């Protein structure tokens, strides 16, 4: 079984729908043969949960942000395999006013713990931090588009 940073291949989305409904796992498997990767059957994708971490800075904290930026970037670099995207939120003048991260974690608690240990958060830069589960719809994730 091949495991990548984002998905683990174990069967098809159609197979998941059928098995939840009590139907066949796949009509592609020959009679008497088990469906699945070992028999050349369908592959189901188990997606690692993605979380949006939305942080807004306290007002007038540009100096604190600049002072802790190197540590913040090093912290993200250590978790680079989990990062979907990351960058600052900007005001109308293009100045940073917060951070937006989309990252993969095994669960909500791991995402919250990661956000709490961010050097920006530890330095007291943020006025608010929201951690929310997120699912990509558009454009369709590459794995879903390939199986469609």
């Amino acid at each position: 079984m091949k495991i990548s940073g984002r998905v683990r291949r174990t069967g098809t989305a159609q197979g998941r729908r059928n098995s939840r409904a009590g139907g066949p796992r796949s009509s592609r498997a020959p009679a008497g043969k088990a469906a699945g990767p070992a028999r050349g059957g369908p592959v189901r994708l188990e997606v690692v949960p993605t979380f949006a971490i939305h942080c807004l800075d306290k007002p007038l904290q540009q100096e604190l942000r600049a002072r802790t930026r190197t540590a913040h970037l090093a912290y993200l670099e250590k978790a680079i395999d989990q990062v979907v995207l990351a960058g600052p939120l900007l005001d109308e003048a293009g100045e940073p006013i917060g951070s937006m991260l989309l990252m993969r974690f095994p669960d909500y608690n791991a995402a919250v713990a990661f956000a709490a240990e961010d050097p920006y958060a530890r330095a007291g830069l943020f006025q608010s931090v929201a951690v929310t589960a997120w699912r990509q719809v558009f454009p369709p994730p590459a794995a879903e588009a390939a199986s469609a």
Side-chain angles (χ1 to χ4, degrees), residues 103-144:
M103 296 183 69
R104 295 181 198 95
F105 294 98
D107 57 42
Y108 175 80
N109 291 334
V112 169
F114 183 86
E117 291 299 316
D118 185 319
Y120 280 164
R122 293 179 60 94
L125 175 64
F126 298 134
Q127 175 177 300
S128 67
V129 175
V131 175
T132 310
W134 179 84
R135 177 180 41 225
Q136 181 175 346
V137 175
F138 290 107
E144 286 182 21

Side-chain angles (χ1 to χ4, degrees), residues 58 61 64-65 67-68 116 118-126:
K58 292 176 183 171
Q61 295 298 312
L64 177 58
R65 175 176 272 276
R67 214 173 43 241
T68 54
D118 185 319
Y120 280 164
R122 293 179 60 94
L125 175 64
F126 298 134

Side-chain angles (χ1 to χ4, degrees), residues 6-7 9 45 136 139-148:
R6 191 167 89 154
V7 295
R9 299 170 59 92
L45 301 175
Q136 181 175 346
E144 286 182 21
S147 67

Side-chain angles (χ1 to χ4, degrees), residues 13-103:
Q14 182 63 43
R16 273 196 318 274
R17 283 190 294 275
N18 285 340
S19 65
R20 272 187 253 149
R25 282 195 77 197
S26 171
S27 59
R28 290 192 270 174
K33 302 250 180 178
R39 300 282 185 193
V43 176
R44 179 175 50 225
L45 301 175
E46 289 181 21
V47 178
V48 175
T50 302
F51 294 86
I53 302 174
H54 186 272
C55 311
L56 293 177
D57 295 355
K58 292 176 183 171
L60 306 173
Q61 295 298 312
Q62 293 84 354
E63 184 182 321
L64 177 58
R65 175 176 272 276
R67 214 173 43 241
T68 54
R69 184 171 188 266
T70 300
H72 165 74
L73 294 176
Y75 183 67
L76 289 179
E77 186 67 36
K78 288 180 185 176
I80 196 68
D81 290 343
Q82 296 170 257
V83 176
V84 176
L85 61 83
L89 297 169
L90 307 174
D91 66 11
E92 298 82 19
E95 295 298 318
I97 58 167
S99 298
M100 174 66 186
L101 311 168
L102 282 180
M103 296 183 69

